[in-house]
Amino acid sequence: MTRHPTFRKELLRLVALCLLSLFLVPAGTLWFARYASAEFDAAIVQAIEERIDGDPRASPEQKAAARAYYRSHPPSVACNDADPEAQDYREAVCARYSRAWQFGVAERVAYWTLVGGAALLAAALALGALAFASRGLRYASFVAGWRLMTLASAVEVAAQSAMCVWLSFWVTAVFFQSYFVKLIIIAGLFAAAAVFFAVYTLFRKYPGEHAVEGELLGEADAPRLWARVRELAGRLGTAPPDHIVAGIDANFFVTEAPVTLGERRLTGRTLYLSIPLLRVLDSTEAEAVLAHELAHLQGGDARSSAALGPMLIRYDIYTAQMRQAGLSIVAHYLLRLYRVIFQFALSRDSRERELRADRSAAAVATPSAIAQSLVKIAAYANYRSNVEGRLFAHDQRHTGELGIAGFVASGLLPYAASGEFLDAMKTANVPHPFDSHPPLGERMRNVGSPIDEAAYGEVVSRLPQSSWADEIVDAAAIEQRLWQAYEERFSQSHERALAYRYEPANDDERAIVLKYFPPLSFALAKGAIEISHAGIRTDAEFIRWDSVKALAFASGNLGGDRLVVTHPEKGLVTWRRTTIKLRGLGKQSDAFRAVVGQYWQRHQIMRAQQAAAAAADAHRSGAPA
């Protein structure tokens, strides 16, 4: 499996960002601590020499010897000198929290943070490389990587946060002989937020179970199907699944991870099968797919995914959240780097698992059944995605039954005969919720039954002589219930998307926008401020969203919170701005900021979609956009 150029580019980018995030602050702190220490040494030695030169009781030889001693023992040296004769001198210049003490501590902390950062980067690369060795070592690598990267990155955030607070005082004190309280407070708040966020996120619990939409099939619901699944499992030399779940998703899978099915929690081995796909596949093709999935149980693939899956979810959530609290981004890029390397190893193994499962299935079914099922599943998934994409792109709210299942069932064969179909199938893949699959052509060649691309349409158009869906007692009723619930969620998601798309232009569109983005009013010390889909209204003015280029919140000890609106028009020097005082907002502050962000984002999405639609129309008509 060759490394894609995009992977190499992303890897190099993350290495560069890791170097920057791990070493910029400690390297800057180390340089500054040494610079400031040298400046302080020079000032102290100069003051001591002036006292020596002004001492009338000392001889020239004594003065020269004293000057030589203090020049060779400035505060930075004396603080680390255990000579008993220098005790008084050390106590005078090296007392705890003194300048010399702080510069020395900062230098040591920065130095060891640099060493620790280098060790962490080396560990990330080494553990990532270890993930390529074997499945057992891959799991051990991730367990070690998860624990080391998360704990060490939290320590890294704490260390660098402390350095930033220290620098916020001493940089201005050394270079400008002054310090700025606001700067120190801001740095302290950012640092405290980053450390709190890193520690809080580290110990936060995350959901780790896979939710499945479907219905449980007991023995009585599909006795012949259960018997056939057990027979296939026996031929493959593996234990059969503990549960079979029937659903309407466009895939089949097995897992040994706990899954939630409505209010139930299923543990053990779970086989998920798609009733719509069973209707597309001939019984022999469906058996080939079932054998492929059961082969994952045979090889321990499902068990491996069950162990790693929840950890990967938690790791990804932790990594994403470490980008949200300012200085915590120090840890983000290191975590990302390890995850990218690990994912490449995981994807390579996933490819090998899929090819191995295909070969095992071909041994108990037939190679041609495997190849044909791959083409049919990819075609169905691709066409269903197209149907749902067109429905979601519709500019009017859907009412009543959508009929997605009927659209797909009636349109799949005409789609297979269209020119669009072959182009889509050249890049098609078989969907799966847990693994990344190899390309379609490679999988067919792997089992020794390649199908020419020109014959894909004929394969899809071949109606099944028998279907395992007919062996499920209530298959039609299960499908109806699941499609009804699915279409309700689809319509709700589509309606919410319309609330982001509409400007609005009429009463129906306005009703949808107002349903999700009603005007919200917030009381101020004097008057109120209202946020709506149209803009920001105060007692003094109304600012339409089209008159907003950027938004920023500012805080002031005397002036209170303020919302600074930057307009698209230029003023005398820079962009024109309007400042809205938010005094009296109080506990509503967080809610107000969230609402402003959501409504401003809605307007930006609406304008972007309008621009995209205009560009598409211009492209179709051949006119310039």
Side-chain angles (χ1 to χ4, degrees):
M1 186 175 185
T2 57
R3 290 176 175 81
H4 193 276
T6 303
F7 170 79
R8 291 195 297 268
K9 184 177 179 181
E10 175 68 4
L11 187 64
L12 291 174
R13 187 183 77 90
L14 285 174
V15 169
L17 289 170
C18 276
L19 293 173
L20 192 65
S21 63
L22 287 174
F23 301 131
L24 179 62
V25 171
T29 304
L30 181 63
W31 174 86
F32 175 77
R34 288 179 174 176
Y35 172 85
S37 182
E39 291 286 306
F40 182 63
D41 284 352
I44 292 296
V45 170
Q46 181 181 355
I48 291 174
E49 287 183 345
E50 289 175 357
R51 291 179 60 186
I52 291 171
D53 291 340
D55 186 357
R57 294 170 298 176
S59 66
E61 292 77 13
Q62 290 174 324
K63 291 181 179 181
R67 282 195 295 270
Y69 174 82
Y70 285 110
R71 285 174 183 172
S72 64
H73 289 76
S76 60
V77 174
C79 292
N80 297 312
D81 188 353
D83 185 358
E85 294 184 6
Q87 182 67 27
D88 293 339
Y89 178 39
R90 283 198 302 273
E91 290 179 354
V93 297
C94 305
R96 185 177 291 272
Y97 307 122
S98 65
R99 283 194 178 193
W101 181 88
Q102 288 193 44
F103 295 150
V105 169
E107 182 177 340
R108 289 191 294 275
V109 170
Y111 173 80
W112 286 110
T113 303
L114 287 170
V115 171
L120 271 178
L121 185 57
L125 297 174
L127 288 170
L130 190 64
F132 287 85
S134 68
R135 181 181 299 167
L137 287 176
R138 185 178 307 113
Y139 180 76
S141 163
F142 192 77
V143 171
W146 162 255
R147 292 172 179 170
L148 176 63
M149 296 301 148
T150 51
L151 287 170
S153 62
V155 173
E156 186 78 26
V157 169
Q160 292 203 30
S161 297
M163 290 181 212
C164 288
V165 175
W166 185 81
L167 289 171
S168 69
F169 172 81
W170 279 109
V171 168
T172 57
V174 169
F175 290 118
F176 305 105
Q177 290 73 52
S178 181
Y179 63 89
F180 302 94
V181 175
K182 284 187 177 181
L183 178 63
I184 299 170
I185 292 174
I186 292 172
L189 290 174
F190 269 97
V195 174
F196 170 79
F197 196 78
V199 175
Y200 167 76
T201 309
L202 182 62
F203 293 103
R204 183 179 175 184
K205 292 184 178 180
Y206 302 107
E209 293 189 359
H210 180 62
V212 175
E213 295 290 337
E215 294 191 16
L216 196 63
L217 293 182
E219 289 273 0
D221 300 317
R224 290 191 67 235
L225 177 62
W226 264 103
R228 186 58 173 154
V229 167
R230 289 197 175 97
E231 181 186 347
L232 290 170
R235 293 176 64 185
L236 287 164
T238 187
D242 302 300
H243 315 284
I244 296 180
V245 175
I248 58 171
D249 289 351
N251 57 57
F252 295 82
F253 65 85
V254 290
T255 180
E256 293 189 55
V259 297
T260 55
L261 182 68
E263 299 296 322
R264 299 189 61 172
R265 183 176 187 269
L266 305 181
T267 58
R269 298 178 163 200
T270 300
L271 168 65
Y272 177 92
L273 51 83
S274 168
I275 298 178
L277 282 177
L278 287 179
R279 297 194 187 283
V280 172
L281 300 172
D282 188 85
S283 58
T284 57
E285 295 164 348
E287 288 171 14
V289 176
L290 295 175
H292 168 94
E293 297 303 335
L294 294 170
H296 283 305
L297 296 175
Q298 173 198 35
D301 302 339
R303 186 166 57 253
S304 175
S305 297
L308 268 179
M311 295 180 66
L312 289 170
I313 292 171
R314 291 195 295 270
Y315 188 94
D316 289 343
I317 294 174
Y318 180 77
T319 301
Q321 291 187 340
M322 289 300 281
R323 193 172 183 173
Q324 299 178 12
L327 289 172
S328 67
I329 200 169
V330 165
H332 173 78
Y333 293 114
L334 177 68
L335 295 165
R336 277 275 308 282
L337 175 65
Y338 173 70
R339 184 66 172 88
V340 165
I341 298 172
F342 187 85
Q343 183 59 45
F344 187 78
L346 201 62
S347 297
R348 189 183 71 166
D349 181 65
S350 173
R351 170 186 172 276
E352 294 170 354
R353 292 200 311 262
E354 290 304 316
L355 296 176
R356 185 172 58 249
D358 283 341
R359 291 192 296 269
S360 297
V364 298
T366 64
S368 61
I370 283 283
Q372 291 165 16
S373 69
L374 292 173
V375 172
K376 286 187 174 182
I377 292 173
Y380 176 90
N382 188 271
Y383 183 63
R384 175 172 164 178
S385 176
N386 290 348
V387 169
E388 293 183 1
R390 289 195 296 270
L391 287 171
F392 205 81
H394 194 58
D395 286 333
Q396 300 296 322
R397 178 170 49 187
H398 295 296
T399 57
E401 185 178 331
L402 294 177
I404 296 176
F407 280 130
V408 177
S410 62
L412 182 59
L413 297 187
Y415 173 69
S418 69
E420 176 190 357
F421 169 74
L422 189 56
D423 290 336
M425 288 296 288
K426 288 179 180 178
T427 57
N429 212 333
V430 180
H432 197 281
F434 295 111
D435 297 307
S436 56
H437 284 47
L440 194 60
E442 182 180 355
R443 294 184 66 181
M444 290 189 290
R445 289 190 297 272
N446 173 61
V447 296
S449 184
I451 298 175
D452 188 84
E453 291 178 350
Y456 285 177
E458 179 187 347
V459 170
V460 176
S461 301
R462 200 175 298 151
L463 297 177
Q465 299 300 308
S466 59
S467 169
W468 278 108
D470 297 332
E471 298 299 329
I472 301 174
V473 175
D474 292 325
I478 292 172
E479 278 189 286
Q480 183 179 7
R481 288 192 293 269
L482 294 176
W483 276 116
Q484 182 178 357
Y486 179 81
E487 289 187 356
E488 286 176 1
R489 294 194 303 272
F490 187 96
S491 294
Q492 290 171 1
S493 297
H494 176 255
E495 184 183 71
R496 184 170 181 82
L498 291 178
Y500 278 88
R501 295 182 207 168
Y502 286 155
E503 187 154 359
N506 53 52
D507 290 342
D508 289 340
E509 293 181 357
R510 188 171 294 104
I512 292 175
V513 173
L514 292 177
K515 178 179 179 179
Y516 294 94
F517 296 94
L520 296 174
S521 183
F522 296 84
L524 302 176
K526 294 182 178 179
I529 183 169
E530 182 185 85
I531 309 300
S532 70
H533 74 275
I536 304 170
R537 185 182 300 278
T538 67
D539 294 343
E541 60 186 326
F542 177 65
I543 302 174
R544 294 189 174 277
W545 289 121
D546 281 330
S547 296
V548 177
K549 178 181 175 66
L551 296 168
F553 290 94
S555 299
N557 294 330
L558 298 177
D561 292 341
R562 303 182 302 280
L563 174 61
V564 181
V565 181
T566 302
H567 302 286
E569 310 87 26
K570 281 286 189 76
L572 293 176
V573 179
T574 182
W575 303 103
R576 188 171 66 85
R577 289 186 174 87
T578 298
T579 299
I580 301 173
K581 294 182 179 180
L582 302 176
R583 185 188 294 275
L585 202 57
K587 295 181 179 180
Q588 303 177 93
S589 179
D590 289 342
F592 176 77
R593 292 183 182 219
V595 167
V596 170
Q598 290 166 3
Y599 282 51
W600 169 228
Q601 181 190 49
R602 189 213 82 88
H603 184 81
Q604 290 175 299
I605 292 173
M606 181 264 293
R607 289 293 184 225
Q609 295 218 354
Q610 287 179 343
D617 290 341
H619 178 73
R620 283 192 292 269
S621 64

